[in-house]
Amino acid sequence: MWGMMNGWGYGGNFIWGLIWMIVEIGLVIGAIYFIVSLFQNNKGGYRKNDAMEILRERYARGEISEEEYLERKKNLEEK
């Protein structure tokens, strides 16, 4: 009888099952966090392009002068 239950009894199987379930949930949460962080990093990369597009549109509409356009473009490219 001792060899069949390895000293844990039936409660030991429940404990190991619970531990394994916690590990699986942790892995799923970690994977979701990783995927979300990848998408957030990509959004940050587009901000510079969005700002440049807005700057081009303002220049095209005549809201800013060529001198101001070139100065702001230079500032955006440095960042």
Side-chain angles (χ1 to χ4, degrees), residues 1-63:
M1 184 106 180
W2 179 263
M4 288 179 67
M5 292 191 253
N6 295 325
W8 286 94
Y10 293 110
N13 290 334
F14 173 77
I15 292 171
W16 282 113
L18 186 63
I19 291 171
W20 183 248
M21 186 173 57
I22 291 169
V23 168
E24 288 178 335
I25 291 171
L27 288 173
V28 169
I29 291 172
I32 291 170
Y33 177 78
F34 178 74
I35 291 169
V36 168
S37 68
L38 283 177
F39 283 112
Q40 287 178 344
N41 287 340
N42 285 341
K43 286 183 182 178
Y46 293 116
R47 288 185 181 175
K48 180 180 173 184
N49 294 334
D50 290 344
M52 191 67 80
E53 186 64 31
I54 292 168
L55 182 63
R56 285 188 201 112
E57 289 175 6
R58 289 189 64 199
Y59 178 65
R61 286 191 297 248
E63 295 177 8

